Amino acid sequence: MSTTRWRPGALIAAAALGALGVGLAATPAVAHTPTWSVTCDEVSLELTNYGHNARNTVTVTVDGKDLLPTETFTNDFSRTLKLPEHDKEVAVRLVITASDGDQYGRDETKTAPVCDDGSPSPSPTPTPTPPSPTPSDTPGETPSTSAPATPAPAPSTSSPGLADTGSSSSTPLIAAAAAVVIAAGGGITWAARRRRGVQD
């Protein structure tokens, strides 16, 4: 009777131990936490709980070229890698080898886009043109107007007139009268001398 009473208890204990063993065996698979991200200019890696075994390795390549050559790590690995400049999308590949089995490794590929700074190209600064002066801008000045050109006067062919000496139109009459008076005086003098000569 006692044997029958203990048999169910033993079965329960065995099942509990088996479940615990399965849980312990599954723990390493759950503990592996590979986190990585890719932007236009960098790759971020955060690998945790891979066990304290130096056989864990990680490799990162970009379009087949090594960005992170194969590196060994224990338990945790954290790194930020700068991507080379690129003018088109590139493929970034992550390869992880876990020390506790190939089933816990990773081989994944992500695409890195082209960086776009979003800043517009600077436009050339226009050179300001000074405003033209207006009558209101310059007080005291009269705006100049273009007048038609005046032709130069033709040279005169006539002789220049005599300079004005102050004499009037009666000057010739006075000069003639003076000449008559002088002639008359000369005649009287001549007659008087002749008469005197005859008397002598």
Side-chain angles (χ1 to χ4, degrees):
M1 179 131 184
S2 60
T3 303
T4 304
R5 183 179 297 176
W6 280 101
R7 187 172 295 171
L11 292 174
I12 294 172
L17 289 174
L20 180 61
V22 172
L24 292 174
T27 299
V30 174
H32 293 68
T33 309
T35 303
W36 71 300
S37 62
V38 177
T39 63
C40 70
D41 60 350
E42 66 181 22
V43 179
S44 298
L45 302 175
E46 196 69 37
L47 315 178
T48 58
N49 298 323
Y50 271 81
H52 296 279
N53 191 313
R55 289 183 299 168
N56 299 307
T57 63
V58 57
T59 307
V60 179
T61 59
V62 178
D63 281 350
K65 298 179 181 179
D66 284 342
L67 181 64
L68 174 67
T70 302
E71 188 168 332
T72 303
F73 69 97
T74 57
N75 200 44
D76 299 331
F77 183 88
S78 179
R79 188 75 57 86
T80 299
L81 309 171
K82 297 296 292 182
L83 286 172
E85 293 185 2
H86 50 280
D87 56 4
K88 62 180 180 179
E89 293 183 346
V90 293
V92 182
R93 182 184 179 191
L94 169 68
V95 178
I96 302 173
T97 301
S99 60
D100 51 353
D102 293 341
Q103 68 272 25
Y104 305 125
R106 286 289 184 94
D107 188 344
E108 299 177 352
T109 302
K110 295 184 179 182
T111 301
V114 178
C115 290
D116 183 9
D117 54 11
S119 58
S121 57
S123 57
T125 304
T127 304
T129 303
S132 301
T134 59
S136 58
D137 294 333
T138 53
E141 292 186 4
T142 303
S144 61
T145 57
S146 58
T150 303
S156 176
T157 57
S158 60
S159 301
L162 297 175
D164 187 7
T165 58
S167 61
S168 63
S169 58
S170 59
T171 300
L173 298 177
I174 296 175
V180 170
V181 170
I182 292 173
I188 294 172
T189 302
W190 176 77
R193 286 180 179 177
R194 187 174 180 182
R195 186 181 300 168
R196 184 179 303 166
V198 171
Q199 289 176 0
D200 291 339

